[in-house]
Each structure stands twice: as structure tokens, then as C-alpha cells.
Amino acid sequence: MTRATRVLVLNSGSSSVKYQLLDMRDDSRLATGLVERIGERSGRLTHTPAGGERRTREERVPDHGAALGAAARELAADGFGLDSPELAGVGHRVVHGGRSFTEPVVVDDAVEAEIERLVPLAPLHNPANLAGIRTARRLNPDVPQVAVFDTAFHATMPEYAARYAIDARTAEEHRIRRYGFHGTSHAYVSRRTAALLGRDPADVNVIVLHLGNGASASAVAGGRCVDTSMGLTPLEGLVMGTRSGDIDPAVVFHLSRVAGMPVADIDALLNKRSGLAGLCGDNDMREVLRRVDEGDEEATLAFDVYIHRLRKYIGAYFAVLGRVDAIAFTAGVGENAAPVRAAAVAGLSGLGPQIDERLNSARTQGPRLISPQYARVAVAVVPTDEELEIATRTFALIGT
Ligand code: AMP
């Protein structure tokens, strides 16, 4: 009998579906792809089989069903039909698991209904994630589908880190608490960091800095998250590409009362026209760094605000953890922007972390240490791999 060792990972957004097919015998990628502009006049599918040529197709993709159908056709053309007995299951990224889901789960009707009930907590993401799940279940009713939640890793936060200091009954009624996001990445990177140190994750305390277009920090003690910077929504915490991160909530009342802005406009301002983009017009750190090098004052201030916030979180998480073994940088900015890493850790040697400038600026791929051997707290660059983490968790739950 053929052993089922393949896992399809689906990351369904409102107008796109990213997919990867992995072979869990060696964690290798068999194919990757992206269907974009779902529901628009012309959609696009990009598909790349391992070791093969990338194929691009422009065609109308009316909905998520059509997107998955197109992906399934491309996979079948490479000999990876989704009806193959080698497909063990499908792993879905789901953004919000609320308090209901603290671990990945095999999807059934009750799980679908619960993800739906959580839509008010993630109105942009959960409906798209659900559309992906429903379509995949319809296309392939015999293959187990697993939901892996972005919030789940943070469910171990103690109550005093998860609660906002607001009226308890109102918080309870409206499910207002700090959930945290990017959990799949924080889980993967904290574990890989322990492996890089040659230690058991249960013995290691790590500060993970996930710095991408969205950005979040987490304090991980012995493999369990004890604090994270994002909250009820992914707006809290660090300065991001287009999001403000922490802000006095009274700014919202001020904008409403004094500037007369409708709530929807304030929402858009803080989520889409703030962060680096709000401060200097560019949300891409590459562009910000280029302008800093040219002496541009706006970009320099944006960079300084970004770094100041980051350093405050690093300091806070030293206090939260008590003992820190490593700081790990990940995601687009964390993996690629040496000046951000250098500035974030500069002058913190009293706390333990130090950076070796040569190691920091070396263009090396893969997980690596960038601290000198004598540093009391290691500093690491650990490329994140959320798809692999989703596939691993999916396979662990349903693998045969
Ligand atoms: P992510 O959300 O993890 O895909 O990260 C995307 C962000 O990473 C982009 O918006 C850029 O700001 C940043 N980024 C990617 N490559 C570089 C680089 N070489 N240097 C600085 N920032 C980068």
C-alpha cells in the first residue's frame, strides 16, 4: 500500500491563495504556487514545481473554488493529483482561533462553525480562510483537512499578560483580550533557535522578533509563549510597514471628536497609512534604508521610531523572561536587514546580547548565529517557514 506522506498547505487570503505541496519524508517542497486577483476581471496563477520551470497563467478566477481548482489542475499536471493516495491531508492557515482553538484541529462541521463564530474577531481573514477550507473539503471530501491557527501558540500566555486592564465584564462579553498573531512563525523560529544552540527547546528562553511587513515580538520560555506584542488584533505592538503598533487609545477619540473622522477612516489610518509608510511614505525597509543612507531626514526619523519601539520590547521581554538565552530575528526585515539588527541590539551588551558585525553583514542563507562566541545572550537569524510548520503540525495530527 502507498504510504501517504504528502501534505498540501493552503494560505487563503481575501483575493489570493498561496499553496505548497510538501513531502513529509524529508520536508521537501514538491511544488509551490500562488493564485492572485480572485474575483477580479483577470486573475493570475503562478506555479513552480520543484526543480522545474515556473508557469504563469492569466485567467479569470471568480472565487476560491475556482482558485483551488486551478491549483489542483497545475499540481495534477506535475503528477501530484489531489486524488492521489499519497496525499495525507491538507493544512490550512487560519488567522484567528480565539480561545476555542489552542492546538491544530481536524476540521469537521463543528470546527467550521466555530471558525465562523470567530469572524467578528478577524473580519478580513477568517472568512477567506473559511472559504479555502470549505472549497478544499468539497473538492476532496475523503482527505483530512487540518486548521492551524495563528493565535494558537500564544494561548499559553498567563492571564496577566493576556488581559487588558479594562472593565472585566465588557471584556468578557466582547471577547476582548490579547490573542497575539504570527504564532506559527514564533513557534517554528523559537524551536529552530534552540536547535541552533544545540539545546532542548524546553531549556531555552528566546525573544523572537518577527519583522516583516507585519511585525511582532514574543517572549518564549522553555518552548511556551509567555508574552507577545500583538493583541486583540495585529495592530498592537511594534511599528510595522503600514500599521502604527502601540498608540495611546485616546488618539482614536481625538481623531473622532476633534477631527470628525469616521471610525472606518481611523481604522484605515492606523492599519494602512501609519507605521513606516505613515512616517516617511515608504513601507518597504529596503527603501527606508536607502533613503537613510542618502541622509533623508524623514526616513531617518521613521527608522529611529521603528528601532526605538523594537528596543523597548527587547528590554521588556528581558524583564518578562528573567533569563534570556537568545534573541532571534526572522521574516523579511529580520532575515535581510543587517542595519536593523545592529541598531536593535546596539548598546545592550549590559543585558548580554552582542553582535559580531562581520557575521551580521555576511550574506548567508539558513539559520545562523551573528553574535560572538563570548556573548552571554546569543543573537540569531532564523528564516521562518510557516508552511513547513503548518505541514508538520498537520502531518503530526493525521499522518499515517
Ligand atoms: P514579509 O512580510 O516577511 O514578507 O517581509 C516583507 C518585508 O521585508 C518588505 O516589505 C521589506 O520591507 C522587507 N525586506 C525584504 N527584503 C529586504 C532586504 N533585503 N532589506 C531590508 N528589508 C527587506
Side-chain angles (χ1 to χ4, degrees), residues 248-376:
D248 180 345
V251 169
V252 177
F253 319 142
H254 185 85
L255 286 171
S256 171
R257 267 194 231 114
V258 179
M261 276 175 87
V263 170
D265 289 5
I266 303 174
D267 189 329
L269 174 84
L270 297 180
N271 276 293
K272 302 204 172 106
R273 290 189 285 122
S274 296
L276 292 173
L279 286 163
C280 75
D282 275 308
N283 70 303
D284 191 317
M285 186 56 87
R286 281 167 289 207
E287 199 49 27
V288 175
L289 291 173
R290 193 188 58 70
R291 287 172 57 189
V292 169
D293 276 346
E294 285 176 351
D296 181 305
E297 279 181 25
E298 265 190 349
T300 303
L301 178 64
F303 181 80
D304 289 347
V305 173
Y306 182 99
I307 295 295
H308 181 64
R309 183 83 50 84
L310 191 54
R311 290 165 64 85
K312 288 212 288 195
Y313 269 94
I314 294 173
Y317 288 171
F318 264 89
V320 167
L321 288 167
R323 187 202 85 224
V324 176
D325 299 293
I327 298 176
F329 287 90
T330 193
V333 175
E335 292 167 30
N336 296 298
V340 169
R341 296 191 296 258
V345 175
L348 297 185
S349 58
L351 289 172
Q354 274 173 279
I355 279 186
D356 176 315
E357 239 342 289
R358 197 181 48 80
L359 295 176
N360 187 34
S361 46
R363 296 199 172 278
T364 328
Q365 304 286 317
R368 60 196 183 275
L369 290 174
I370 56 169
S371 45
Q373 271 193 340
Y374 54 79
R376 277 186 290 129

